[in-house]
Amino acid sequence: MSDSGIPKNFFAPRVGRITVSPSNAGAQRVRELKAEGRDIIGLTIGEPDFETPASVKEAATAAMAREETKYTNVDGTPELKAAIRAKFRRENGLAYEPDQIMVGNGGKQVIFNALMATVSAGDEIIIPAPYWVSYLDMPLLADGTPKAVVCRPEDGFKLTPAALEAAITPRTKWLVLNSPCNPTGAVYSRDELKGLAAVLLRHPHVWIISDDIYEHLLFDGVEFATLAQVEPALYSRTLTVNGVSKTYAMTGWRIGYCGGPRELVRNMAKIQSQTTTNASSISQAAAVEALNGPQDFVPQRARAFQERRDRVLELLREAPGIECFRPQGAFYIFANCGGMLGKRTPQGATLEAERDAVDYLLESGGVATVVGAAYGLSPYFRMSIAAPIGELTEACQRIRRAAAALR
Ligand SMILES: Cc1ncc(COP(=O)(O)O)c(C=O)c1O
């Protein structure tokens, strides 16, 4: 029996296999420290600090006034599916019929549905590392075997065709691609996707999740490309996932969606019908406006993120022991902190490992970041740049001071 009186075997082994999302746990820690009166800049969470567009909020209010407050179809309202189909056609050159589209409570649930509908014990899921942490935990919930493939900084943290080829086995079920990537901000070009596609065409049993959630957060004029568009021969085994959370600053509304093979989407909807049923009816109405309404603020916000990236990279260049990767998209800086390790803090402690460095930045610098291990690569830390530029400037100055105080 444990302290609480609940026998240990009460909980299913699957719960023990997974972790609480480290960025959520980090954000919780920031809230606790702030509540204690500490001056902390929290850069742990991946959520735009901009407002949800006014027209989107108005669409939600109008939906409530129309009494659209009841269950909808499990896989999404006809209006939202139409808006999603139009988005895929307009922005990605991808044609899907309504029964190839589904809406979930965030891109997270859409990916979860896909894995739950397809993965059994022993099935392998190839995940390029550094990765978004849920890619690892979700297959574990489905009794699958995630296979992280570490991508090297000299390859721009991108999966190479040779590394993909080497990772594929007869048990491989899925490859999960994410561009722009959380946490590195790496973006795959059309040619790089073509290179991966050539490998995938030789292995017809491997299906692909293309997580395009950061599609519109691109810097330096880089163009977005997605696998099913780049290689139409892969369309019939690619699930293209997207959502409104990042592009439209709508993380709390919980709307994600996908386009993919009909049979897969039908089985995903079956899973969702036994978990959450539909996504919120009001959020769906808001998402229709997000996708169909004016888009002019989207590139403006991407430019704002680019300015923040430039400022942070410039300021952290002078932080001893820290080396930042230059992201081409998303809103994170993935920084190598290997140069801080082995050094002594002013308090006399030695920074032995990445976790010590991140704790030191929090305790001494008052800046909360997330350890690279959470994303499958050490010694690194991830900091979100989804914060006002003044706050980021202050955070970088604190990091510089803390790093410079090490001996
Ligand atoms: C790479 C990636 N995919 C998917 C998601 C899921 O976002 P949501 O569930 O809000 O659509 C996130 C959120 O952090 C993410 O970083």
Side-chain angles (χ1 to χ4, degrees):
M1 300 284 264
S2 69
D3 289 353
S4 57
I6 301 175
K8 279 214 172 72
N9 65 2
F10 180 73
F11 296 102
R14 77 176 69 90
V15 179
R17 289 199 291 267
I18 62 167
T19 53
V20 174
S21 157
S23 55
N24 290 355
Q28 167 88 14
R29 180 84 187 116
V30 169
R31 281 190 289 273
E32 284 164 10
L33 289 171
K34 281 185 172 172
E36 286 168 18
R38 296 276 307 277
D39 172 19
I40 303 290
I41 302 178
L43 301 176
T44 55
I45 201 103
E47 126 172 304
D49 53 314
F50 295 115
E51 282 188 10
T52 300
S55 63
V56 171
K57 293 186 217 171
E58 283 156 19
T61 309
M64 281 189 271
R66 288 195 304 269
E67 200 54 27
E68 288 181 19
T69 55
K70 309 294 191 295
Y71 294 129
T72 73
N73 292 342
V74 168
D75 59 353
T77 61
E79 294 76 20
L80 181 51
K81 285 176 132 198
I84 292 166
R85 288 179 70 208
K87 178 264 179 253
F88 276 132
R89 255 196 319 270
R90 181 177 73 237
E91 297 184 344
N92 309 113
L94 289 172
Y96 292 111
E97 295 301 317
D99 59 356
Q100 293 182 275
I101 300 280
M102 87 164 283
V103 177
N105 292 273
K108 189 177 244 179
Q109 189 182 25
V110 171
I111 297 170
F112 183 81
N113 289 337
L115 295 171
M116 278 304 187
T118 56
V119 172
S120 332
D123 287 343
E124 296 172 358
I125 297 87
I126 298 177
I127 303 164
Y131 46 70
W132 179 48
V133 62
S134 299
Y135 298 146
L136 207 81
D137 287 299
M138 288 190 201
L140 290 173
L141 279 176
D143 294 333
T145 306
K147 272 187 77 173
V149 177
V150 174
C151 304
R152 304 175 312 165
E154 49 273 41
D155 294 326
F157 288 123
K158 287 184 255 193
L159 183 66
T160 62
L164 173 59
E165 182 78 62
I168 293 174
T169 75
R171 294 308 307 261
T172 305
K173 193 142 223 173
W174 288 101
L175 162 69
V176 183
L177 281 178
N178 173 218
S179 172
C181 170
N182 171 10
T184 61
V187 178
Y188 287 79
S189 69
R190 179 169 288 271
D191 281 350
E192 285 164 341
L193 289 178
K194 275 261 177 212
L196 296 176
V199 175
L200 292 162
L201 288 172
R202 288 198 290 277
H203 298 279
H205 67 293
V206 181
W207 285 47
I208 307 99
I209 290 174
S210 178
D211 181 349
D212 298 354
I213 199 116
Y214 294 98
E215 169 178 12
H216 288 290
L217 296 161
L218 288 168
F219 312 142
D220 308 327
V222 163
E223 282 194 18
F224 178 76
T226 190
L227 194 68
Q229 178 189 29
V230 166
E231 181 45 84
L234 292 174
Y235 171 90
S236 58
R237 52 185 165 114
T238 300
L239 185 71
T240 304
V241 178
N242 213 316
V244 297
S245 285
K246 316 288 179 177
T247 304
Y248 303 100
M250 291 176 67
T251 46
W253 299 75
R254 308 309 303 128
I255 295 291
Y257 57 84
C258 65
R262 185 168 283 116
E263 190 86 343
L264 171 64
V265 169
R266 199 167 51 76
N267 281 290
M268 291 167 59
K270 193 172 174 187
I271 298 273
Q272 190 168 297
S273 77
Q274 294 298 1
T275 51
T276 59
T277 314
N278 56 279
S280 151
S281 56
I282 297 154
S283 295
Q284 290 191 68
V288 170
E289 173 59 23
L291 294 176
N292 287 348
Q295 304 289 313
D296 45 318
F297 63 90
V298 173
Q300 285 165 18
R301 288 179 175 184
R303 274 197 297 280
F305 280 119
Q306 181 172 326
E307 270 171 43
R308 294 164 177 194
R309 175 204 65 174
D310 291 343
R311 170 73 63 88
V312 168
L313 289 181
E314 185 194 321
L315 290 171
L316 289 187
R317 200 176 300 138
E318 282 152 43
I322 295 175
E323 228 178 284
C324 296
F325 178 73
R326 184 182 172 83
Q328 288 196 300
F331 40 63
Y332 309 99
I333 298 287
F334 200 58
N336 186 315
C337 57
M340 294 170 75
L341 304 187
K343 295 197 174 159
R344 288 174 76 78
T345 69
Q347 294 75 31
T350 302
L351 302 182
E352 307 278 3
E354 163 190 274
R355 159 62 56 203
D356 302 331
V358 166
D359 285 347
Y360 170 68
L361 292 180
L362 178 62
E363 298 303 331
S364 294
V367 181
T369 60
V370 184
V371 287
Y375 310 97
L377 196 66
S378 300
Y380 284 84
F381 64 85
R382 187 196 80 168
M383 66 185 262
S384 165
I385 53 169
I389 203 150
E391 202 170 296
L392 290 170
T393 303
E394 170 65 18
C396 291
Q397 282 160 352
R398 291 183 185 189
I399 291 174
R400 264 174 23 178
R401 273 199 299 275
L406 293 171
R407 290 289 167 262

